[in-house]
Amino acid sequence: MSAPLLCEGRVVVVTGAGRGLGRAHALAYAAEGARVVVNDLGVGLDGAPGPGSPAGQVVDEIRSAGGDAVAHGGDVATTEGAGSLVRAALETYGRLDTLVNNAGFLRDRMLVNLDEDDWDAVMRVHLKGHFLPLKHAASYWRAEAKAGRPPVARVVNTSSGAGLLGSVGQGNYSAAKAGIVGLTLVAAAELGRYGVQVNAIAPAARTRMTEGAFASMMAAPEGGGGFDAMAPENVSPLVVWLGSAASAGVTGRVFEAEGGRITVMEGWRAGPGVDKGARWTAAEAGDAAVKLLAGAEVPGAVYGAG
């Protein structure tokens, strides 16, 4: 007998699912039995509209493989677009079980050259584009719980190593991705009572967004047929598990996924400390800080530094 499908009967929304990681996630969920709402605005790397309908193409792929999917082309960084995304799931399939927030793009600049518009655009798509779908999905799940139909709901947010460690030339992107971690922690704490688990991933893979920034890491596998460690499909199995009922009890966590490696990321927590019991002078505070730093772990290097 074949193993049961991990997401049989679940309805999954994936944003930014026309290409790259989002496409890989959508296909992987469908392969595990989920009905998928494939969202993609169909824009370029800079956020400008692009030709064709990548969401529709992914839906065709899913259907040709025997799966069930529907396309959504709304802008999830708007209240109307995010609301219509959740409605698309409810009106098409009658329910929503999993939300995968993945949409994003880059406008990289060094800080002294970073325009306000570039800052706002990246914050809007990454951070607001996570918040609004989460808000609308959570409103539905809360209503279900209050009506006596507690959901087994899952949210998978997409952060980045840039949000955990920083990345030179990506101040806007790093700040947005760090904000997504904070949003994940708050959502996990607030929504658990309604049957909602919220986690985040920090993926590393070859996509349109990363191929320029990490060109040296994105080479094809050696030998012409080995394991392609940078394929986006490597990240999707963890995302599918986190979005399934099988991940019961896992919430408020951040996972790094790259190639065949999965790592639980451990964020800010109290390290060495000292309490004088009274106000410090500036010189005393400095002396104390130097002593504490001598016993503290050295932070990871910022990507691109040095």
Side-chain angles (χ1 to χ4, degrees):
M1 294 180 61
S2 60
L5 298 177
L6 201 60
C7 293
E8 187 72 56
R10 293 182 71 80
V11 174
V12 178
V13 166
V14 184
T15 70
R19 303 179 179 91
L21 283 166
R23 171 182 171 275
H25 299 340
L27 293 173
Y29 272 109
E32 286 289 347
R35 293 167 288 175
V36 186
V37 180
V38 180
N39 164 266
D40 199 282
L41 192 56
V43 300
L45 287 175
D46 62 355
S53 172
Q57 294 171 14
V58 174
V59 168
D60 289 343
E61 287 187 76
I62 290 172
R63 290 177 177 172
S64 66
D68 192 351
V70 63
H72 177 270
D75 182 355
V76 297
T78 67
T79 295
E80 180 181 357
S84 70
L85 175 64
V86 172
R87 288 196 302 274
L90 301 181
E91 292 171 2
T92 305
Y93 299 118
R95 59 185 297 139
L96 172 60
D97 300 291
T98 298
L99 168 65
V100 180
N101 283 315
N102 171 76
F105 65 79
L106 298 175
R107 290 190 181 178
D108 293 351
R109 299 284 190 280
M110 301 297 279
L111 287 173
V112 295
N113 296 318
L114 184 61
D115 293 334
E116 185 177 357
D117 288 347
D118 292 331
W119 176 274
D120 290 344
V122 168
M123 288 295 171
R124 175 185 178 277
V125 171
H126 287 275
L127 199 48
K128 196 173 181 181
H130 270 63
F131 160 63
L132 287 173
L134 175 57
K135 173 183 170 66
H136 285 275
S139 294
Y140 161 69
W141 289 323
R142 181 180 65 173
E144 287 291 286
K146 288 187 173 183
R149 298 183 295 269
V152 181
R154 305 287 187 261
V155 178
V156 184
N157 291 331
T158 305
S159 184
S160 168
L164 304 176
L165 296 174
S167 180
V168 171
Q170 294 187 308
N172 49 2
Y173 179 75
S174 297
K177 289 302 192 182
I180 287 168
V181 172
L183 177 63
T184 298
L185 300 179
V186 172
E190 290 186 359
L191 302 179
R193 72 190 73 177
Y194 305 122
V196 184
Q197 293 182 184
V198 188
N199 294 285
I201 59 164
R206 181 180 56 254
T207 69
R208 288 195 310 161
M209 278 185 18
T210 60
E211 62 185 0
F214 302 108
S216 63
M217 298 170 55
M218 303 296 173
E222 294 182 6
F227 174 53
D228 184 357
M230 301 314 296
E233 290 79 8
N234 298 332
V235 177
S236 299
L238 175 62
V239 174
V240 169
W241 181 80
L242 287 171
S244 75
S247 64
V250 179
T251 193
R253 306 306 292 262
V254 179
F255 296 84
E256 189 173 60
E258 176 182 355
R261 184 181 182 85
I262 296 172
T263 305
V264 177
M265 305 304 288
E266 296 182 338
W268 294 106
R269 61 183 63 202
V274 61
D275 185 356
K276 180 182 176 181
R279 184 178 301 156
W280 302 86
T281 67
E284 288 173 338
D287 288 341
V290 169
K291 292 176 182 177
L292 292 173
L293 288 169
E297 290 188 15
V298 177
V302 173
Y303 291 115

